Amino acid sequence: MGIPGKEKLWDKEEKEHRKYDDVRIFADKDLKNYTEDELKAFKPKHATPMLDELEKGPWPSFVSDLKREALHRKKLGQDNLLIPADAVEDLLGVVELSYKEGETHWKHGGIVGVLGYGGGVIGRYCDQQQMFPSVAHFHTVRVNQPGAKFYSTDYMRAFCDICEYRGSGITNMHGSTGDMVMLGTTTEQLEPIFFDLTHDLGNDIGGSGSNLRTPSDCIGPARCEFACYDTLSMCYEMTMAFQDELHRPAFPYKFKFKFDGCSNCCVASIARSDMAFIGTWKDDIRINQEAVQAYVADKIPRDGGGMTGANWGPFDIKSEIIDLCPTGCMTWDGKKLSINNAECTRCMHCINAMPEALRVGKDSGVSILLGAKAPILEGAQMSVLTVPFMYAKHPFESQQALARKVHDWWIEEGKNRERLGELIQRMGLKTLIEVLGIPAMPQMVKEPRSNPYVFFKESEVPGGWARNIDDYRSRHPK
Amino acid sequence: MSKGRLGYYNPEKKQEGRITDIGPSHYGQFLPPVLRKNYGNWASHRVLEPGILMHVSETGDKAYTVRCGGARIMSVEHIRELCDIADKYCNGYLRWTTRNNVEFITDKEDTARALKKDLDSRKFIAGSFKFPTGGTGNSITNIVHTQGWLHCHTPATDASGLVKAVADALFDDFKTMRMPAKLRVSMACCLNMCGAVHCSDIALLGYHRKPPAIDNDAVGKACEIPLVVAACPLYAIKPITTEDGKKSVSVNVEKCMYCGNCYTMCMGLPLADKEGDGVAILAGGKISNRLSQPKFSKVVVPWLPNEMPRWPTVVKTVQQIVEAYAKDAKKYERLGDWAERIGWERFFEKCGLEFSWHLLDDYRLAYDTFRTSTQFKYTEHAWAVSKAAGGM
């Protein structure tokens, strides 16, 4: 078991940090247990002529990779594994059958999990259990990934050992929401996996079901000059603050947080989270005029050097920056670049195009947008700009309070399987802002409404709505 | 870690020693030293060549990142090999990106170049690259995708195989940076759209074309019928009692557009079908706020057949769109920006795509997508209408 208080210490720069050797399941001889020649000669138990075609071509072949794992498991032997050694061979067999028949062979749904939690595990059963007994149970465990998906090899190897010993040895790195995904294990192994993850990896499982899903973040200040706030810190703190909501479904439907450091949206928060936190600033873009001139003189490649694969001609600051700026708030007099920052909408184009000359502002925080979702049920939605600016300071209490207000309203009013974005559609943006205690602002809309079907509150209208027809008739006889 | 069938877990005392609500491991302990030291202190960056990034900090420190492609579905053997590489070159640190590429970070340029060479030299026995470097700048980077027939119960196509087929065809563009702007391809195997299909430059979407087959026995026994009724966006489902007295539902096939949401709610309404199922293609979405606001992807090909194992028709169509865009768009112009500038009628012409009635929106806010203007360009599609209307 883990050392109490040190369960999570994988930090190589710290004393007494945990190493792979402290927790490993497989010895070196188990890990390097097959040769290149054995791999060439290896024939999995099912013929897979169609999948074999997907071993050709340059892109990394998942089929080749699965076959390698299948051989590794075969050589490890059933005595060293807790789910069937040939699970990956049966997985290849099932997929080949689906390729032949053009239909999936996984049964509908499946409800499994670990005690005390209502989510984190996706149950899955094969519908051809006679033919493929080793994937009869093939559940997925979502493991909450560390911020921006940084790992040490010690931690990663330990994760690999659990996946292989108690599961199929197949993963998704990563699920679309962000989790590390252990693909394929049996019901019996769920609790042991959970105990190993929490005791020895010092790591919890992620979200699934009608709850807060695993939050995720862009790389932020760890390696990006555009980051306007600490996405990793905020993602971590918000994940910790809402552990209960993440593990125990209490919502009408799923709810996602995502944290983008700037409006380039590298983690796609604006499209893929119910509550998107997107970094921004409220002062001026910082300009290094010498570097601007270096761009103009073609001494620095445009767009961070990311466009060198085609000949786009010499850099032309007028047509590429000044004329493209969506608000037209920039000028270039041949020597000096000026920005009318009051008119700038912080789209990032000029900064992306000239990262060595232009920097995001220093007085920075987050914009908060609500309600993104995929099409089911009412159609796809992007997030709606709700709060234009908030300072984002550790431990992010103001953001937590705002999220709780959103949750409280949605838990109360949301219908079964109604995403926040659909509730906003149904009850109106005006109801949302009332709940959040914020005034309306023109920034909330692309354009004001074009139909005149405007509601008023009775209190806004002099004399109210209780009317007497006799009073009206006294002025307007029939 | 624990060994044996149940390891640490004692089924007699389920609560004993149980640790909960500890969240993810803290990221701080996994940051490579050069990032730790310069956290929040970066000044600028440059792509040195495809697959290699350089970030410069305020202090002049430099971090070199080498990016390589990943298949997303990965065996632990593959991850262990990545770990070996990280141990050899990067002091035992590595990371994954939001598009499932893998990154290695070092503070030495020569290490980064040696690492890139090493990564590009490693191949699977059958010949595909294990860790092809690239995916930087204006390339076509990794394809965000879903579970498909490997693990999901609602797909209308496979994810991993289709992605492999498309990624093979676009491979040269993973390795180079010739596109006018970033070009994001994504894939989802049904219209739950797990991932980024509704907001990508080019998106592949598994799509059914037949209403569900109704298993009256299962609907009555295993499903909460009001949830099934409420699951339908087009109100095609009604509760019924069958002739032999079972509680079930009916589906009005005239109203059903095969979204599969009722099957998500109820095992008694499967709709997967070999002939019916296939792939739709969407285009013109984006999520960044650069120059233009984020956009949804639009359906440009309503359906193409599933052709396992390599989906040649889908691959060819994607290539047509990519090449038309690469040839015609201006620098910095995302695919959707290009299509809007030239007009969708010109987009269909330049990409050599059919335009059929399936592409005319007919869902709630459809009217907003119709052209209420005389501003249009003449193309063959327009002459066909003029002829059909008896005007030419």
Side-chain angles (χ1 to χ4, degrees):
Chain A
M1 294 246 186
I3 312 160
K6 304 251 177 179
E7 296 94 347
K8 301 176 103 178
L9 189 67
W10 288 89
D11 196 330
K12 291 165 109 159
E13 322 297 312
E14 292 276 335
K15 267 197 187 134
E16 293 186 37
H17 75 272
R18 187 166 283 208
K19 299 182 196 67
Y20 171 55
D21 280 344
D22 301 336
V23 297
R24 67 191 299 169
I25 287 172
F26 296 111
D28 280 347
K29 66 174 174 43
D30 301 325
L31 297 181
K32 306 265 191 269
N33 67 0
Y34 56 91
T35 64
E36 198 87 337
D37 287 340
E38 284 176 310
L39 193 51
K40 271 183 196 156
F42 176 58
K43 291 272 180 289
K45 73 188 235 202
H46 306 283
T48 54
M50 286 172 108
L51 289 181
D52 293 353
E53 285 297 313
L54 292 169
E55 293 199 82
K56 298 170 184 165
W59 186 255
S61 168
F62 72 102
V63 179
S64 298
D65 190 17
L66 290 175
K67 284 186 179 177
R68 168 164 69 162
E69 181 60 26
L71 173 63
H72 187 235
R73 292 180 72 83
K74 193 174 186 150
K75 300 275 292 189
L76 278 171
Q78 194 61 65
D79 291 350
N80 289 311
L81 296 166
L82 292 172
I83 80 162
D86 61 0
V88 179
E89 293 177 69
D90 272 2
L91 178 65
L92 284 161
V94 171
V95 178
E96 179 75 15
L97 185 65
S98 285
Y99 271 57
K100 266 196 218 115
E101 298 183 350
E103 292 169 8
T104 189
H105 279 290
W106 299 103
K107 286 188 190 190
H108 182 276
I111 298 173
V112 289
V114 297
L115 185 69
Y117 284 5
V121 184
I122 315 300
R124 195 65 79 219
Y125 301 92
C126 183
D127 72 7
Q128 295 295 335
Q129 305 196 348
Q130 298 285 311
M131 228 184 307
F132 308 108
S134 299
V135 292
H137 295 214
F138 209 66
H139 312 319
T140 286
V141 182
R142 292 180 177 167
V143 179
N144 194 327
Q145 82 292 351
K149 305 182 179 83
F150 279 99
Y151 299 99
S152 71
T153 52
D154 277 323
Y155 171 96
M156 207 67 221
R157 289 177 197 278
F159 173 74
C160 287
D161 277 16
I162 307 181
C163 285
E164 190 163 49
Y165 183 58
R166 298 192 180 277
S168 69
I170 303 297
T171 73
N172 288 152
M173 297 299 281
H174 294 72
S176 286
T177 296
D179 297 283
M180 308 159 77
V181 175
M182 297 171 76
L183 197 75
T185 188
T186 58
T187 310
E188 179 200 59
Q189 287 302 315
L190 295 174
E191 288 288 2
I193 285 170
F194 181 67
F195 265 71
D196 275 0
L197 283 172
T198 49
H199 288 82
D200 276 333
L201 215 64
N203 206 103
D204 215 325
I205 60 177
S208 72
S210 290
N211 61 6
L212 176 71
R213 300 298 185 83
T214 307
S216 57
D217 45 7
C218 70
I219 198 165
R223 200 204 57 203
C224 183
E225 71 271 25
F226 302 156
C228 296
Y229 71 103
D230 191 339
T231 52
L232 289 84
S233 176
M234 189 164 169
C235 184
Y236 181 79
E237 295 302 337
M238 294 288 274
T239 307
M240 296 314 287
F242 291 91
Q243 279 291 290
D244 191 25
E245 288 80 356
L246 192 151
H247 294 303
R248 299 166 195 92
F251 290 162
Y253 202 14
K254 66 178 80 162
F255 193 95
K256 299 183 181 185
F257 286 142
K258 284 195 188 322
F259 302 89
D260 269 314
C262 77
S263 64
N264 283 323
C265 287
C266 289
V267 78
S269 63
I270 201 163
R272 296 172 62 182
S273 62
D274 302 81
M275 192 163 190
F277 298 85
I278 303 176
T280 192
W281 63 93
K282 60 190 184 60
D283 54 348
D284 292 355
I285 291 175
R286 290 171 275 171
I287 309 176
N288 173 340
Q289 298 292 351
E290 278 170 26
V292 174
Q293 289 177 5
Y295 276 103
V296 171
D298 253 340
K299 287 181 178 143
I300 307 177
R302 57 166 75 81
D303 225 46
M307 294 174 70
T308 52
N311 180 7
W312 296 105
F315 181 75
D316 173 22
I317 193 166
K318 185 172 180 315
S319 70
E320 294 184 41
I321 307 295
I322 310 296
D323 296 349
L324 283 185
C325 171
T327 63
C329 70
M330 303 176 80
T331 46
W332 167 250
D333 66 4
K335 287 199 196 82
K336 188 162 169 273
L337 179 72
S338 317
I339 303 175
N340 178 356
N341 282 280
E343 298 307 307
C344 166
T345 52
R346 302 165 310 285
C347 83
M348 297 295 297
H349 171 64
C350 59
I351 299 172
N352 286 336
M354 303 195 291
E356 293 173 54
L358 300 177
R359 305 272 306 269
V360 299
K362 275 189 161 168
D363 191 15
S364 58
V366 291
S367 297
I368 294 169
L369 294 85
L370 297 173
K373 56 179 282 292
I376 299 287
L377 197 63
E378 304 279 340
Q381 293 177 205
M382 302 250 195
S383 303
V384 177
L385 179 68
T386 308
V387 179
F389 185 91
M390 273 176 111
Y391 283 114
K393 295 279 184 278
H394 192 274
F396 312 103
E397 278 158 354
S398 50
Q399 282 81 23
Q400 284 174 35
L402 191 79
R404 291 196 191 280
K405 278 187 195 169
V406 170
H407 291 165
D408 287 349
W409 174 58
W410 176 57
I411 290 169
E412 184 76 22
E413 297 288 350
K415 291 200 286 197
N416 181 43
R417 291 184 90 241
E418 181 174 51
R419 290 289 285 270
L420 175 69
E422 289 169 342
L423 179 65
I424 295 171
Q425 234 191 101
R426 184 164 61 86
M427 299 195 68
L429 196 52
K430 63 175 187 285
T431 314
L432 171 71
I433 66 172
E434 203 168 333
V435 167
L436 298 180
I438 55 178
M441 62 174 184
Q443 288 84 343
M444 283 170 183
V445 294
K446 278 200 186 84
E447 56 191 21
R449 67 192 305 161
S450 52
N451 65 64
Y453 303 160
V454 181
F455 284 101
F456 282 87
K457 289 178 183 155
E458 188 176 6
S459 58
E460 292 179 300
V461 185
W465 293 340
R467 301 179 60 185
N468 182 332
I469 187 66
D470 293 340
D471 172 50
Y472 181 84
R473 286 287 162 238
S474 70
R475 298 186 303 280
H476 308 281
K478 273 187 213 171
Chain B
M1 285 170 294
S2 67
K3 291 198 183 169
R5 205 166 56 84
L6 297 180
Y8 296 140
Y9 173 63
N10 177 358
E12 304 301 313
K13 295 182 178 167
K14 292 188 171 77
Q15 290 288 17
E16 198 170 83
R18 181 173 292 269
I19 297 173
T20 66
D21 300 76
I22 57 170
S25 298
H26 194 271
Y27 58 88
Q29 60 194 328
F30 300 133
L31 296 173
V34 65
L35 300 197
R36 221 176 270 227
K37 184 174 164 220
N38 296 287
Y39 194 93
N41 223 2
W42 299 101
S44 70
H45 76 282
R46 211 181 273 195
V47 185
L48 298 184
E49 59 180 79
I52 302 187
L53 307 168
M54 174 182 76
H55 285 78
V56 183
S57 108
E58 308 272 14
T59 63
D61 281 3
K62 288 177 179 158
Y64 297 89
T65 302
V66 182
R67 182 178 295 168
C68 68
R72 193 180 86 110
I73 184 154
M74 277 187 188
S75 74
V76 295
E77 279 294 272
H78 199 72
I79 297 172
R80 286 174 182 137
E81 188 169 346
L82 286 164
C83 289
D84 290 342
I85 296 166
D87 284 342
K88 185 173 171 187
Y89 294 94
C90 299
N91 196 23
Y93 293 100
L94 75 165
R95 77 174 286 263
W96 271 258
T97 70
T98 57
R99 296 190 76 84
N100 308 309
N101 290 311
V102 186
E103 289 185 341
F104 298 92
I105 296 160
T106 165
D107 55 358
K108 296 180 192 64
E109 185 171 359
D110 53 356
T111 305
R113 293 192 188 276
L115 168 55
K116 178 175 164 166
K117 209 166 149 187
D118 185 343
L119 289 166
D120 281 327
S121 73
R122 294 174 188 241
K123 289 184 170 184
F124 286 108
I125 297 264
S128 67
F129 289 95
K130 283 178 175 171
F131 314 112
T133 59
T136 51
N138 291 358
S139 63
I140 302 181
T141 186
N142 210 336
I143 302 176
V144 166
H145 64 278
T146 54
Q147 298 292 32
W149 293 328
L150 263 161
H151 204 253
C152 192
H153 60 155
T154 66
T157 188
D158 186 41
S160 300
L162 177 54
V163 162
K164 161 73 173 154
V166 174
D168 279 345
L170 302 178
F171 188 72
D172 288 349
D173 276 307
F174 182 79
K175 309 279 302 174
T176 55
M177 306 188 291
R178 69 167 178 130
M179 289 290 141
K182 294 183 188 313
L183 197 156
R184 303 298 194 211
V185 183
S186 68
M187 187 276 154
C189 41
C190 81
L191 83 183
N192 278 323
M193 295 194 181
C194 306
V197 160
H198 58 314
C199 295
S200 297
D201 296 284
I202 297 178
L204 308 170
L205 175 66
Y207 200 73
H208 302 292
R209 293 185 307 167
K210 295 186 184 182
I214 305 175
D215 180 345
N216 287 326
D217 195 39
V219 174
K221 280 188 184 151
C223 305
E224 210 169 320
I225 287 172
L227 289 187
V228 183
V229 172
C232 182
L234 294 175
Y235 313 114
I237 301 177
K238 282 203 198 109
I240 57 160
T241 305
T242 61
E243 282 173 16
D244 54 355
K246 291 192 180 99
K247 292 278 176 228
S248 186
V249 295
S250 70
V251 175
N252 178 343
V253 296
E254 299 296 312
K255 284 188 181 173
C256 171
M257 49 66 190
Y258 345 106
C259 75
N261 198 38
C262 55
Y263 179 61
T264 301
M265 297 311 296
C266 170
M267 66 170 297
L269 295 161
L271 72 169
D273 180 89
K274 183 170 189 171
E275 279 74 35
D277 296 351
V279 180
I281 300 181
L282 296 84
K286 67 189 274 273
I287 46 150
S288 91
N289 293 270
R290 185 177 185 173
L291 293 175
S292 61
Q293 295 183 9
K295 301 178 203 286
F296 286 126
S297 326
K298 288 83 181 169
V299 184
V300 296
V301 178
W303 189 86
L304 293 169
N306 278 328
E307 298 167 300
M308 288 69 77
R310 295 204 77 101
W311 284 267
T313 313
V314 175
V315 169
K316 185 176 134 284
T317 310
V318 169
Q319 284 179 299
Q320 269 170 238
I321 298 170
V322 168
E323 288 312 320
Y325 161 74
K327 188 167 151 230
D328 198 61
K330 296 178 175 177
K331 40 178 186 281
Y332 309 115
E333 207 165 40
R334 291 288 291 264
L335 195 141
D337 296 333
W338 168 65
E340 284 173 19
R341 175 174 60 85
I342 63 176
W344 284 99
E345 64 266 48
R346 191 67 81 212
F347 169 89
F348 280 89
E349 180 182 69
K350 284 185 189 282
C351 295
L353 300 175
E354 289 291 306
F355 191 93
S356 67
W357 61 271
H358 309 90
L359 304 181
L360 304 172
D361 196 352
D362 54 9
Y363 193 61
R364 293 168 198 175
L365 303 174
Y367 206 92
D368 295 348
T369 68
F370 303 156
R371 188 161 317 196
T372 49
S373 159
T374 56
Q375 294 191 18
F376 66 88
K377 297 175 180 176
Y378 290 111
T379 64
E380 286 305 319
H381 289 111
W383 302 134
V385 174
S386 297
K387 282 187 190 119
M392 287 174 73

